[in-house]
Amino acid sequence: MQSLSRLLLIRSFLRLFLLQASWNFERMQNLGVLYVLEPVLRALYRDDALQEAYHRHMGYFNTHPFMASPILGATIALEQRRAAGQVGTFGVDDFKSMTMAPYAAIGDALFWGGVRPLAVCVSLFFAVKGSLLAPVVFLLGFNLPHLWMRLMGFMRGYLLGVSVVEIIQRHRLPDLAVRIKEGMVVVLGGLIAYLTVATCRGAGFSAGWGAAALPLICLFVLFARKGASALLLLGLSLAFLVTFFQVVIW
Amino acid sequence: MDFLGCLFVAGVAVVCGLDRTAALQLMISRPIVAGPLAGFVLGAPLVGLQVGLLTELLWLCRIPVGASIPPDDTQVAVGATFLAVSVLPPDSLQISVIIFCLLIAMPLAKCGQLFDRMARRANDTLSRRAGRSVQSGNLGAVDRMHLVGLGHFALASLLTFIVVASAGSVLCAILMPSLIILLEQPAPWMQLVFPLVGAAMILASINVSRVMTLFSASFASALLMLWLL
């Protein structure tokens, strides 16, 4: 089997950061996949075989951009075996199409729904204090797991091939996503309580009045679940505040 | 604000805009980073931080799943920071002005979704052209077309910023003298409303069982502790 140099793999890995550069409605990340695989495909195939390999990856592909790392790492391993004439149970296309949807769901829940909001909530404590460390805290909190997933996912995908699926299963990422979301909700509760108390004290009220924020949030949640947008809720609340201060206070 | 400042902040808008979808995704596109970054190049990072704090939670859980395009909070943060710095006196952190600029920037930045959609449509053409290139054996064209897509996204971000900054500046000049006085009294409470609405949007969209119980328990215990302290 033809070995792939580290330099080639590093080039492919770095190209992962531009996976979505040509994201389109019709085939979503298809050109991105080809862009990532291009150095490897050119090393493995020549002439018609190379053109055929390009054809293979021109089809629809869409997954979470960070979870694409294990998929494309394993795809490189599969292409390498295919170029060496070893035919396994899974074809390259089969593997990609079987994994992209579940991995997208895992990535969305874990990174967009869990890690990102948690990192934001922690960093907002710094922002409330007026500390410019807030963006740094957020970037560190988000990017450490993000870059770990990208790097380890790609490496393990390449080294293990289709068996990378078992590793992802063993880590029980969907369960982890739920735990992170629960943690985020707790931190969010603390953050909102802190903001409410700070505002009440700033306006000369007792911190206990901050409890009034809870039914207000419940009301907002109710409206949001009925389909009200953030802009609408914000607009109505601000209009109410302006009217209240104009009519009642003045 | 000088021309160089405008150029730098437009650069920040493009780089952060690319980070949203097309490149890296290190999350420098989040308002809590993009706001201070825009503020930093304009010499007022704390204004940007305040904008980021107010904006961050509002659309945090609008996830870019499949073909859905979330509201462009990156350009809201960069645009509102630009507007606030351009109307605020140096070293001032007047919250009513920052809120006013945000209220101007938020509806204007809706055009970001439109430009983003246009960029993705333009990329549809690239994908088709790349398919034809592969069929004709011109494989090198695939890489080039992929990178042209990056240009489409960059252009979409730049256009959104230009709309927010230019139309926002005009609106600020027209509306601010008469409306800012209305915001001065309620400004501290308005400052609280932003994260309250943001938190509600997160709680409404998050997929966790007994989310309201968890949030209420955390909120109540933190409030109690802060009250006692």
Side-chain angles (χ1 to χ4, degrees), chain A residues 1-13 16 36-37 39-41 43-44 67-84 86 95 103 149-165 167-168:
Chain A
M1 190 160 68
Q2 188 180 345
S3 65
L4 293 169
S5 70
R6 275 190 188 171
L7 194 66
L8 266 180
L9 293 172
I10 290 171
R11 274 184 69 192
S12 274
F13 171 71
L16 268 169
V36 172
L37 298 180
V40 170
L41 294 180
L44 292 175
M67 298 301 287
S69 302
I71 299 177
L72 294 183
T75 302
I76 289 174
L78 286 172
E79 283 291 0
Q80 199 177 7
R81 279 173 210 152
R82 187 186 176 115
Q86 298 173 5
F95 176 74
Y103 277 32
M149 172 53 80
R150 288 236 205 211
L151 183 64
M152 296 308 288
F154 187 75
M155 276 172 54
R156 293 214 170 168
Y158 176 65
L159 294 173
L160 299 173
V162 292
S163 308
V164 74
V165 177
I167 298 285
I168 299 283

Side-chain angles (χ1 to χ4, degrees), chain B residues 47 61 81 88 94 122 129 164 173 191 196:
Chain B
V47 173
C61 278
T81 305
L88 275 170
Q94 204 180 338
R129 279 172 56 196
V164 175
Q191 199 179 358
L196 290 189

Side-chain angles (χ1 to χ4, degrees), chain B residues 16-97:
Chain B
C16 292
L18 283 177
D19 183 73
R20 277 178 76 78
T21 306
L24 301 176
Q25 296 202 295
L26 298 173
M27 293 300 119
I28 56 168
S29 53
R30 292 306 310 163
I32 194 64
V33 183
L37 208 56
F40 178 74
V41 299
L42 294 169
L46 288 177
V47 173
L49 186 70
Q50 196 63 48
V51 168
L53 171 63
L54 294 175
T55 323
E56 183 57 62
L57 293 177
L58 290 175
W59 296 290
L60 181 60
C61 278
R62 286 290 299 274
I63 298 172
V65 178
S68 82
I69 301 171
D72 197 343
D73 47 6
T74 307
Q75 302 307 334
V76 169
V78 176
T81 305
F82 172 83
L83 294 174
V85 173
S86 61
V87 296
L88 275 170
D91 298 327
S92 167
L93 205 63
Q94 204 180 338
I95 194 66
S96 55
V97 173

Side-chain angles (χ1 to χ4, degrees), chain A residues 232-248:
Chain A
L232 179 70
L233 291 177
L234 203 58
L236 288 175
S237 311
L238 298 187
F240 170 78
L241 277 173
V242 169
T243 314
F244 179 79
F245 274 85
Q246 285 295 304
V247 175
V248 180

Side-chain angles (χ1 to χ4, degrees), chain B:
Chain B
M1 190 182 300
D2 57 0
F3 177 70
L4 208 59
C6 295
L7 212 60
F8 279 147
V9 80
V12 169
V14 170
V15 171
C16 292
L18 283 177
D19 183 73
R20 277 178 76 78
T21 306
L24 301 176
Q25 296 202 295
L26 298 173
M27 293 300 119
I28 56 168
S29 53
R30 292 306 310 163
I32 194 64
V33 183
L37 208 56
F40 178 74
V41 299
L42 294 169
L46 288 177
V47 173
L49 186 70
Q50 196 63 48
V51 168
L53 171 63
L54 294 175
T55 323
E56 183 57 62
L57 293 177
L58 290 175
W59 296 290
L60 181 60
C61 278
R62 286 290 299 274
I63 298 172
V65 178
S68 82
I69 301 171
D72 197 343
D73 47 6
T74 307
Q75 302 307 334
V76 169
V78 176
T81 305
F82 172 83
L83 294 174
V85 173
S86 61
V87 296
L88 275 170
D91 298 327
S92 167
L93 205 63
Q94 204 180 338
I95 194 66
S96 55
V97 173
I98 292 173
I99 290 174
F100 183 83
C101 292
L102 257 176
L103 292 177
I104 295 283
M106 280 198 295
L108 288 174
K110 289 293 273 184
C111 69
Q113 284 173 293
L114 177 73
F115 290 135
D116 203 324
R117 187 163 287 115
M118 285 165 70
R120 291 168 195 230
R121 289 249 174 269
N123 288 349
D124 282 341
T125 317
L126 288 179
S127 173
R128 275 180 241 132
R129 279 172 56 196
R132 286 196 292 273
S133 296
V134 170
Q135 273 181 339
S136 65
N138 181 14
L139 304 182
V142 175
D143 266 18
R144 283 196 300 277
M145 288 187 195
H146 181 64
L147 295 176
V148 169
L150 204 62
H152 291 156
F153 279 113
L155 193 62
S157 300
L158 184 64
L159 286 174
T160 311
F161 172 72
I162 289 171
V163 169
V164 175
S166 55
S169 297
V170 173
L171 287 172
C172 275
I174 296 169
L175 301 174
M176 208 160 132
S178 52
L179 293 183
I180 193 70
I181 194 148
L182 297 175
L183 302 187
E184 273 166 9
Q185 280 273 343
W189 298 101
M190 286 180 162
Q191 199 179 358
L192 178 64
V193 165
F194 280 83
L196 290 189
V197 170
M201 297 309 291
I202 292 171
L203 296 173
S205 60
I206 201 165
N207 188 16
V208 172
S209 58
R210 297 187 295 279
V211 64
M212 286 313 293
T213 314
L214 202 59
F215 175 81
S216 303
S218 163
F219 176 88
S221 48
L223 189 83
L224 198 64
M225 210 158 64
L226 289 165
W227 185 43
L228 290 172
L229 292 174

